[in-house]
Amino acid sequence: MTEEINQPRRHFMGMALAVAGAQLGMTRVGQAQSAPNIPATAPRTDTTFGSLRQIDAGVLNVGYAELGASGAPVVILLHGWPYDIHTYVDVAPLLAAAGYRVIVPYLRGYGTTRFLSPDTPRNGQQSAIAADIIGLMDALGIEKAIIAGCDWGARTANIIAALWPERCKAMVSVSGYLIGSRAANKKPLPPKAELAWWYQFYFATDRGRAGYQQYRNEFARLIWQLASPQWNFDDVTFNRSAAALVNPDHVAITIHNYRWRISLAEGERKYDDLEERLAKFPPIGVPTITLEGDANGAPHPEPAAYAKKFSGKYEHRLITGGIGHNLPQEAPQAFAQAVVDVDRI
């Protein structure tokens, strides 16, 4: 889930700019080029990516889906926890049809992605995951890409845009600016906000690690329901993504990520410099569109709290219609349109 702080719904219900966005500095766009309109689509239109590819990249052998022409502009779509690449199963075909080469990788600890060495630390800290994506771009010969994500994927996109702006043409980020700091995370939150992070405290215990190992699917389903209370996903949709959590490193990566955030686990020394830079909460200058669902049940910051972190061309969009935390899968048209639009602002 992100850091900081039922009736069936099968159709995208609409998209609107956040109220008073201009006054909050949440809309700062230049003259936009004409962008193609993404056709209306219902979630679950596509159910599979078909054959996946594998490539050695950095410390990993990464599993990924690829759609679109090989010479087209590249979009990299990054999933979060406890989700997987099927977050983008409807988004990716829309972007491929709009003329993009779309890369959707499994993060470390998910799906068919594996560590190349048994001796590599099963490290879930934020900079390590971002470095994985830079390694993937290098392995695929991708110099620059539009990077878009939600949850852990949004944070990873933020980090790449902040630390490697030469590799990020533009960015779409669900829930805005999510770069974290262990020092900042030491500050207590009000009780209601702490309650929303119940799973982080659970994971801090040996009982929590064992519980996640034993009840992985039940845990993930509960998180999906809490984070997207109006998303009426079915068993087929859930089970398709839950299969990615069977990865042998998934529990270790998940537990380390949340323990590292609150200084209960150390990271790797080779990432110290990156984390020092991230702890200063660097601004992001690449063109950016941030998105938020109107029914996001996961902990997330208010748009006004992060608008000034985006120093370049910037726009915030509120996606309405009962859209929760897993926004790309719940509102694929809106997410794909944001990717197309950010390429032209």
Side-chain angles (χ1 to χ4, degrees), residues 207-223:
R207 178 188 175 96
R209 182 188 180 107
Y212 189 54
Q213 178 74 54
Q214 183 173 350
Y215 298 108
R216 203 174 317 186
N217 279 14
E218 293 89 341
F219 203 104
R221 185 183 289 271
L222 176 60
I223 294 295

Side-chain angles (χ1 to χ4, degrees), residues 46-314:
D46 288 280
T47 59
T48 181
F49 282 109
S51 298
L52 299 181
R53 303 183 181 189
Q54 299 288 143
I55 191 169
D56 288 352
V59 300
L60 301 172
N61 177 263
V62 178
Y64 66 99
E66 179 170 349
L67 289 78
S70 60
V74 179
V75 177
I76 298 175
L77 303 175
L78 303 175
H79 69 83
W81 172 87
Y83 305 95
D84 83 324
I85 62 173
H86 291 93
T87 288
Y88 301 102
V89 73
D90 292 304
V91 171
L94 295 174
L95 292 175
Y100 292 95
R101 177 188 177 193
V102 186
I103 307 294
V104 193
Y106 280 115
L107 300 185
R108 57 169 59 191
Y110 293 82
T112 61
T113 292
R114 297 288 188 274
F115 285 90
L116 295 173
S117 170
D119 299 324
T120 303
R122 274 37 180 178
N123 176 2
Q125 74 183 102
Q126 60 180 357
S127 58
I129 297 171
D132 289 345
I133 303 306
I134 294 296
L136 176 63
M137 293 175 70
D138 290 344
L140 292 173
I142 298 170
E143 181 178 350
K144 201 166 193 174
I146 300 169
I147 303 177
C150 62
D151 197 81
W152 289 22
R155 180 178 302 107
T156 303
N158 290 182
I159 293 170
I160 294 171
L163 300 187
W164 293 278
E166 72 281 1
R167 309 299 296 272
C168 184
K169 181 181 181 183
M171 181 179 70
V172 172
S173 176
V174 176
S175 297
Y177 188 92
L178 298 173
I179 293 172
S181 160
R182 297 210 299 173
N185 286 342
K186 291 180 180 179
K187 183 178 179 180
L189 299 174
K192 187 175 180 180
E194 296 282 24
L195 177 62
W197 286 105
W198 65 272
Y199 53 89
Q200 182 166 264
F201 298 109
Y202 183 61
F203 288 161
T205 68
D206 289 341
R207 178 188 175 96
R209 182 188 180 107
Y212 189 54
Q213 178 74 54
Q214 183 173 350
Y215 298 108
R216 203 174 317 186
N217 279 14
E218 293 89 341
F219 203 104
R221 185 183 289 271
L222 176 60
I223 294 295
W224 282 34
Q225 292 167 340
L226 295 175
S228 299
Q230 297 185 44
W231 182 27
N232 190 40
F233 61 88
D234 57 21
D235 288 344
V236 172
T237 299
F238 175 77
N239 291 334
R240 182 181 57 195
S241 289
L245 311 185
V246 179
N247 182 293
D249 300 306
H250 177 74
V251 172
I253 295 296
T254 299
I255 298 301
H256 184 268
N257 177 282
Y258 286 103
R259 290 184 181 181
W260 177 86
R261 296 189 198 193
I262 55 176
S263 300
L264 295 181
E266 294 302 316
E268 292 179 77
R269 293 293 301 274
K270 66 180 181 179
Y271 299 117
D272 284 354
D273 178 64
L274 297 179
E275 294 297 347
E276 287 177 11
R277 294 165 64 189
L278 294 173
K280 298 176 182 178
F281 301 105
I284 292 174
V286 306
T288 297
I289 292 176
T290 57
L291 303 174
E292 190 60 81
D294 65 341
N296 185 359
H300 62 278
E302 291 298 319
Y306 56 70
K308 292 183 179 179
K309 298 305 296 182
F310 300 100
S311 59
K313 296 177 180 179
Y314 172 64

